[in-house]
Amino acid sequence: MSKVESGMESMIDMYIFETNTLLEQLDEILLRTEEAQTFTDDDINEIFRIMHTVKGSSAMMGFDDLQLLAHKGEELFFIIRENPDHLEDVSFVYDLVFRMSDLFKAEIELIQAEGDYVATDFSEVLADLEKGASMLTDETNTSVRTSGGIDASHGESPEDWGDDVVTVRIYFQEGCKMENLRSFLLLNKIREEAEVKDYSPKDIENDPNASDIIIEEGFTVTFKADNNDSILKLVENAINVESYEIIHKDSGKAENAETAHHEEEPAESAAVPEAVEFVPEKPAKIPAPETAVAVPATPTANTNQAAQLNAGKQSIISVNLAKLDQLHDIVGEIITTESMVISNPELEGLKLESFLKSARELKKLTDELQDTVMSIRMVPLAGPFQKMNRIVRDMKMKLGKDAELKIEGENTEVDKTIVDSLNDPLMHLVRNCMDHGIENSVEERLERDKPAKATITLNAVSSSGEVVITVSDDGAGIDTEKVLRKAEMNGLLMKPASEYTEREIQNMILLPGFSTNDVVTEFSGRGVGMDVVRDNIEKCGGSLTVESKAGFGTTFIIKIPLTLAIIQGMEVKVHDTVFAIPISTIRQSFKVQNSEIINDTQRGEMIMIRGECYPIMRLHEKFVIPSEITDFEDGILLLVETDGKCVCLFADRLIGEQQVVVKPFPSYLSRYNIKGAGLSGCTIMGDGSISLIIDVANLIESY
Amino acid sequence: MATTSSLFAQNVKSDKTTRVEKEEEITKALTFAIGDQVYGIEIPYVVEIIGVPKITRVPCAEVPYFIKGIINVRSKVVPVVNMRSCFGKEEVEYNEKTCTIIVALNDISVGLIVDEVLEVLSVMQKNIAKTPDLSNVNENKFIEYILEMNDGIKLILDIKKIIFDHDLMISMM
């Protein structure tokens, strides 16, 4: 079956993005308030708003189950909101809401996943939510309305309203659908500006029949405001309002005082009418199509106008990543073209003072442009870091270990793609710290003079082109003997056990098929995990190492590049081919005398540097390039190192250091093992020609 | 890219409106020469025609000889194939008539180096040789159909084979 009604596919990305953002906000609030053990009014309102929006958008997308779930959650918080003083024991509320939020996330993942979507059965949670709601109701013994509607002020009779009230009858465009909800939205907006005295029909939020009445008789609102004109203007500009008329109080009869025509707003708002056709009987806000404008600032910021009014408050927009990639490509093109123009051979020998001045100006601007585009792709690590709070909380409950999570440096920024791929590894590492790192009993901790409450620290710092993220605990540390025994058992030892250094043993836990935990737990201990974590990190160009001190804790160190797309490279020339070698792998470059070369009949040419012997790889031989420079004295040697393995590369000459934009080889060539030959990709240089990026690890491997 | 393809698109449009026997035109083909033989590629696959830019060889033993390397086509890295060596002919030095035709299928772009680009012609149903006996034609395996025009026969290439069937290409060498 199709996941959503036809015509809604384009909205689904937006829906998923928005709902995920809201759920993350929800988790954040819950975690914060759980710590403080109280809900402030703001928190309750915020949660209520989140529930309400999720409910609305789920209904709009036709996910009835999700809508119902959110509705129950909303109901629960409605009760809490109405009776905030009676909140004594709310711990069960947290469990309920966390459960609900998890279900939501899982469901959204299902929706996101490929293939058919089958709605999950939420009946159990729904029942619990209802039970929770009734518990609260019993507790407070107050009658509670079950819907989120805000009623008009009661207790005043029309006679008390005074003379300056205005009654307006509003007609919506024919066939715009959901007139009751449109009225409700409009009503809320009027409420922001004025005091609403009365409106008709009454039950617009919950009664779909109200639509018919509104179509027939129009929607009547009576309000009192300091500036009636501004309210009328608001009504006039509202979406889908066909016309409105002001009714004189005494006559109570419609008089065509003013009729405003309102053209259907083009494009975006046109999507709304069809979008809301199948909203079930429950009330729903109608998120405007441009919900990409992140996090509406007010509960009613869900319509076109409101979004515009709030434009000043919103400083973040979300952009499709593909568009950013495109922008990035174009900027790359501009820079390439720029250098083609500025260093055009036809300009040689000409005296061009003002040209060069303008060229420098242009260069400055394009550099700035490039930096800006790069910075757009950078997002702070706060997102994935904050998610770990939740993991720690859940693990705390399940394992009965007391721990707190300390987050440092969460403002460090990393490329968006990398941040996305960090979520899983971080989660595994934090789980590992909770499960294996921290001692099983408080006594063990107290014996070692450690506080009963364990600390897990997440830290991120950026240094020289890479970001170093550490996940550390103050637990028992890695038991090297146990690791060694286990490794021996699993046949992971490559040399006699006594020859392993402590560091090597510690890093064994990152090997595939290694798990020291004897009991397989829900969270970790299946022996997959650490190696998967390492693979995931290596996939985005990073590395994972572990450091541990017995009795004092374990630290996992993740090093990842700031961005995937750009590396600092040293360009070297071999005949007419230019290679870029990642700067991070180069230890030194130097000239040699032929007398320094050691020629071993078995292992080929080698060179002695500071007492160590390194093999020499001639790039022109390796890549079969007809270079004239074959004498070591004419060329240059570069000592490169990766994973502790070193080799000396022989090239004709160095060109210089440059930031290079890594491009993969075209997919036409993907059937050939180019990577295995020691090339990881290519890059376009300033003059438009292509240089090849050397993958040092594979190059050494292939040697 | 945009300009070239839209130019073609325009051609198609204007031709269609003026042509009387328009139902006969199936598609258009860009023809080019390799040696004395005229080949063609259906226009929808053609992205653009450029000269021969600086080609960077991909130094990997596995990459077959007819893939000459990669070129930079406005910040896109595109592999180039020499059609001469692809058809088992001797390579000649590039001259001012040598062109690279960039073709694309399913997001995969390839540059084809040809001796000379000739013209864009209409492919009419009546010109397509019926179930031709291809056994005498040396490069038959790449040919989708043969056009018999007044000025000679033109062999229309199957782009899918050129882009996906590397083994066939290797066997041709």
Side-chain angles (χ1 to χ4, degrees):
Chain A
M1 100 183 202
S2 153
K3 289 176 198 176
V4 287
E5 310 268 331
S6 59
M8 297 300 285
E9 285 91 351
S10 58
M11 307 277 286
I12 197 150
D13 273 353
M14 210 71 96
Y15 168 75
I16 289 168
F17 171 80
E18 190 202 45
T19 312
N20 273 333
T21 318
L22 287 170
L23 289 174
E24 264 163 41
Q25 272 178 11
L26 177 69
D27 271 9
E28 211 173 291
I29 297 171
L30 287 173
L31 285 165
R32 199 182 63 227
T33 53
E34 193 183 25
E35 195 110 317
Q37 280 296 321
T38 52
F39 279 117
T40 64
D41 287 351
D42 282 351
D43 291 333
I44 295 169
N45 280 331
E46 188 65 17
I47 294 172
F48 186 75
R49 180 185 77 76
I50 291 170
M51 294 285 180
H52 197 85
T53 313
V54 170
K55 182 175 83 167
S57 42
S58 302
M60 192 178 79
M61 299 303 293
F63 299 126
D64 292 354
D65 295 350
L66 288 178
Q67 181 233 349
L68 192 64
L69 191 62
H71 177 67
K72 291 289 176 202
E74 187 190 349
E75 229 167 56
L76 190 72
F77 274 89
F78 184 76
I79 297 167
I80 296 171
R81 188 173 73 170
E82 292 297 294
N83 308 285
D85 307 335
H86 298 274
L87 278 176
E88 269 135 27
D89 179 30
V90 286
S91 54
F92 77 95
V93 174
Y94 286 106
D95 284 334
L96 269 176
V97 182
F98 271 130
R99 246 172 84 195
M100 193 178 79
S101 139
D102 282 349
L103 276 174
F104 246 111
K105 281 180 205 152
E107 195 73 0
I108 282 169
E109 256 173 49
L110 277 181
I111 294 169
Q112 233 172 336
E114 296 280 317
D116 287 351
Y117 162 69
V118 183
T120 319
D121 184 18
F122 292 131
S123 50
E124 199 188 325
V125 183
L126 287 176
D128 284 350
L129 278 170
E130 254 169 54
K131 213 163 76 193
S134 62
M135 263 166 83
L136 276 177
T137 326
D138 291 345
E139 225 170 83
T140 56
N141 265 336
T142 341
S143 69
V144 169
R145 293 186 308 255
T146 49
S147 102
I150 318 144
D151 272 331
S153 44
H154 290 292
E156 268 186 289
S157 66
E159 285 72 35
D160 304 331
W161 290 348
D163 290 334
D164 47 355
V165 297
V166 180
T167 304
V168 179
R169 180 168 295 158
I170 300 154
Y171 292 98
F172 289 94
Q173 281 162 356
E174 212 172 300
C176 73
K177 306 271 173 163
M178 305 300 299
E179 286 79 2
N180 55 337
L181 289 183
R182 289 179 200 287
S183 311
F184 181 66
L185 286 173
L186 188 60
L187 189 67
N188 276 345
K189 266 202 275 179
I190 298 174
R191 270 205 186 99
E192 278 175 27
E193 306 274 328
E195 194 184 329
V196 173
K197 295 290 188 189
D198 193 16
Y199 58 88
S200 151
K202 275 288 175 213
D203 195 13
I204 45 172
E205 207 194 348
N206 291 328
D207 183 8
N209 296 330
S211 287
D212 300 333
I213 304 170
I214 294 169
I215 293 167
E216 299 266 310
E217 297 167 14
F219 176 60
T220 334
V221 194
T222 309
F223 57 86
K224 179 178 175 178
D226 299 337
N227 186 355
N228 284 335
D229 287 344
S230 75
I231 305 292
L232 292 178
K233 193 122 195 117
L234 193 134
V235 172
E236 190 183 328
N237 288 331
I239 308 176
N240 295 101
V241 169
E242 175 83 23
S243 64
Y244 68 94
E245 54 195 23
I246 299 165
I247 305 163
H248 284 276
K249 196 182 69 169
D250 40 359
S251 68
K253 205 177 158 193
E255 210 172 290
N256 255 357
E258 205 179 333
T259 307
H261 260 277
H262 188 68
E263 286 290 314
E264 173 86 22
E265 289 193 19
E268 308 116 309
S269 69
V272 176
E274 39 180 288
V276 290
E277 273 181 36
F278 42 83
V279 176
E281 72 276 8
K282 288 297 172 196
K285 288 196 176 179
I286 306 152
E290 61 272 55
T291 35
V293 178
V295 194
T298 66
T300 47
N302 287 14
T303 57
N304 260 341
Q305 266 72 31
Q308 273 160 22
L309 286 175
N310 287 320
K313 294 179 203 163
Q314 288 148 351
S315 53
I316 291 174
I317 60 160
S318 65
V319 183
N320 193 328
L321 201 56
K323 283 189 186 166
L324 278 188
D325 290 343
Q326 207 180 345
L327 180 64
H328 184 254
D329 282 352
I330 294 173
V331 170
E333 254 175 69
I334 289 177
I335 288 166
T336 314
T337 320
E338 180 204 348
S339 59
M340 279 177 192
V341 172
I342 292 173
S343 45
N344 198 308
E346 285 169 19
L347 297 173
E348 234 161 83
L350 296 176
K351 206 169 168 242
L352 303 157
E353 231 166 83
S354 71
F355 173 82
L356 287 176
K357 201 174 156 212
S358 315
R360 271 197 302 275
E361 195 76 5
L362 178 65
K363 176 105 181 70
K364 215 175 92 190
L365 285 172
T366 45
D367 282 356
E368 212 167 297
L369 178 64
Q370 190 185 15
D371 286 351
T372 313
V373 170
M374 292 313 295
S375 73
I376 290 174
R377 293 180 57 91
M378 304 293 258
V379 290
L381 281 166
F385 273 20
Q386 292 296 341
K387 278 186 192 154
M388 297 308 127
N389 271 317
R390 183 65 204 285
I391 308 285
V392 171
R393 178 200 173 269
D394 286 358
M395 298 276 291
K396 230 158 66 177
M397 299 274 194
K398 290 264 162 60
L399 297 171
K401 293 180 185 177
D402 200 8
E404 65 169 335
L405 183 72
K406 263 195 0 214
I407 292 176
E408 291 159 5
E410 73 267 35
N411 290 326
T412 311
E413 290 188 329
V414 186
D415 191 278
K416 166 85 180 135
T417 346
I418 295 178
V419 168
D420 288 346
S421 54
L422 267 180
N423 274 328
D424 276 2
L426 276 181
M427 191 177 74
H428 267 98
L429 291 177
V430 170
R431 280 182 176 175
N432 191 77
C433 285
M434 280 298 286
D435 203 5
H436 307 312
I438 295 168
E439 295 88 344
N440 283 327
S441 67
V442 179
E443 287 76 30
E444 264 177 77
R445 291 187 62 85
L446 293 175
E447 252 172 52
R448 290 182 186 270
D449 291 332
K450 283 196 264 193
K453 191 172 198 166
T455 312
I456 293 177
T457 315
L458 277 175
N459 189 6
V461 284
S462 69
S463 65
S464 64
E466 50 179 22
V467 172
V468 182
I469 300 171
T470 54
V471 181
S472 44
D473 63 57
D474 61 348
I478 294 173
D479 185 343
T480 46
E481 271 177 37
K482 203 170 158 190
V483 169
L484 209 54
R485 269 206 311 276
K486 183 98 179 185
E488 203 166 5
M489 239 160 63
N490 293 352
L492 297 170
L493 294 191
M494 312 293 265
K495 51 185 177 183
S498 54
E499 281 181 25
Y500 279 94
T501 64
E502 194 168 349
R503 184 101 183 249
E504 279 175 316
I505 296 169
Q506 284 166 0
N507 281 290
M508 274 183 199
I509 65 164
L510 306 177
L511 292 175
F514 191 95
S515 175
T516 49
N517 214 18
D518 305 324
V519 191
V520 172
T521 67
E522 183 190 341
F523 299 108
S524 42
R526 279 172 302 267
V528 290
M530 297 315 278
D531 61 308
V532 174
V533 173
R534 200 181 60 173
D535 284 354
N536 279 343
I537 291 168
E538 281 175 359
K539 234 178 255 166
C540 58
S543 66
L544 174 69
T545 47
V546 59
E547 271 172 25
S548 177
K549 207 169 168 200
F552 291 96
T554 311
T555 304
F556 292 98
I557 303 153
I558 304 171
K559 284 184 184 167
I560 43 168
L562 269 179
T563 99
L564 283 175
I566 292 194
I567 60 161
Q568 193 74 22
M570 174 65 80
E571 307 218 306
V572 299
K573 200 160 189 157
V574 182
H575 190 55
D576 60 348
T577 310
V578 178
F579 293 97
I581 303 170
I583 281 281
S584 52
T585 62
I586 299 178
R587 287 241 306 250
Q588 65 177 118
S589 55
F590 50 93
K591 287 267 190 186
V592 285
Q593 303 292 317
N594 276 338
S595 55
E596 295 172 65
I597 306 292
I598 305 160
N599 230 321
D600 187 297
T601 40
Q602 284 194 329
R603 286 191 286 173
E605 292 156 322
M606 290 184 294
I607 186 161
M608 192 79 110
I609 305 162
R610 286 186 295 273
E612 280 197 61
C613 210
Y614 301 104
I616 295 173
M617 183 190 283
R618 289 168 178 260
L619 283 180
H620 66 94
E621 272 177 14
K622 164 76 190 158
F623 293 118
V624 207
I625 298 162
S627 176
E628 287 110 43
I629 298 174
T630 51
D631 193 336
F632 286 115
E633 283 178 23
D634 297 335
I636 191 148
L637 283 175
L638 292 116
L639 179 60
V640 292
E641 179 190 4
T642 183
D643 296 335
K645 287 179 224 149
C646 292
V647 69
C648 270
L649 302 177
F650 174 65
D652 291 7
R653 62 183 179 91
L654 298 181
I655 296 176
E657 198 181 320
Q658 207 183 343
Q659 291 236 319
V660 297
V661 182
V662 181
K663 286 180 185 277
F665 283 111
S667 48
Y668 185 69
L669 300 173
S670 55
R671 67 204 310 272
Y672 308 111
N673 186 15
I674 298 172
K675 214 174 158 61
L679 297 171
S680 59
C682 49
T683 182
I684 294 170
M685 292 187 298
D687 62 354
S689 61
I690 297 172
S691 70
L692 303 161
I693 300 167
I694 288 185
D695 182 339
V696 173
N698 272 319
L699 192 69
I700 294 176
E701 198 80 18
S702 72
Y703 179 62
Chain B
M1 179 161 78
T3 49
T4 326
S5 51
S6 66
L7 198 75
F8 285 130
Q10 230 170 20
N11 271 346
V12 174
K13 212 172 167 186
S14 60
D15 273 4
K16 274 212 169 144
T17 46
T18 53
R19 198 176 296 272
V20 190
E21 325 163 277
K22 61 182 169 192
E23 69 277 356
E24 277 196 36
E25 182 185 307
I26 304 164
T27 180
K28 281 174 177 289
L30 174 76
T31 57
F32 57 88
I34 289 170
D36 302 330
Q37 183 61 58
V38 177
Y39 296 88
I41 297 170
E42 288 185 10
I43 279 295
Y45 300 113
V46 177
V47 179
E48 63 182 311
I49 303 162
I50 54 174
V52 183
K54 185 179 180 247
I55 299 172
T56 305
R57 198 172 64 89
V58 180
C60 168
E62 282 190 28
V63 175
Y65 181 66
F66 58 83
I67 298 180
K68 303 314 287 180
I70 46 183
I71 56 169
N72 168 17
V73 184
R74 260 174 279 112
S75 288
K76 295 248 151 36
V77 178
V78 176
V80 283
V81 171
N82 189 318
M83 292 312 280
R84 268 187 167 269
S85 50
C86 190
F87 289 154
K89 288 187 173 141
E90 208 170 300
E91 276 184 41
V92 291
E93 205 141 300
Y94 304 141
N95 57 35
E96 71 277 3
K97 281 186 174 173
T98 316
C99 280
T100 309
I101 304 172
I102 311 286
V103 295
L105 180 66
N106 301 350
D107 287 342
I108 298 179
S109 300
V110 180
L112 309 175
I113 298 173
V114 300
D115 288 359
E116 188 182 357
V117 169
L118 301 171
E119 59 172 339
V120 176
L121 52 82
S122 297
V123 176
M124 313 286 249
Q125 187 63 53
K126 64 174 184 198
N127 291 337
I128 296 178
K130 290 181 188 72
T131 52
D133 179 18
L134 296 175
S135 54
N136 298 327
V137 187
N138 192 23
E139 307 87 358
N140 63 56
K141 285 171 190 139
F142 284 110
I143 289 153
E144 203 170 359
Y145 54 85
I146 294 177
L147 284 183
E148 283 169 341
M149 307 297 278
N150 297 335
D151 56 347
I153 64 163
K154 287 148 210 230
L155 311 171
I156 305 297
L157 298 178
D158 187 345
I159 290 299
K160 283 182 262 344
K161 282 191 183 149
I162 289 180
I163 288 189
F164 295 113
D165 206 340
H166 293 233
D167 296 331
L168 179 61
M169 294 173 88
I170 291 164
S171 72
M172 295 288 301
M173 284 172 64

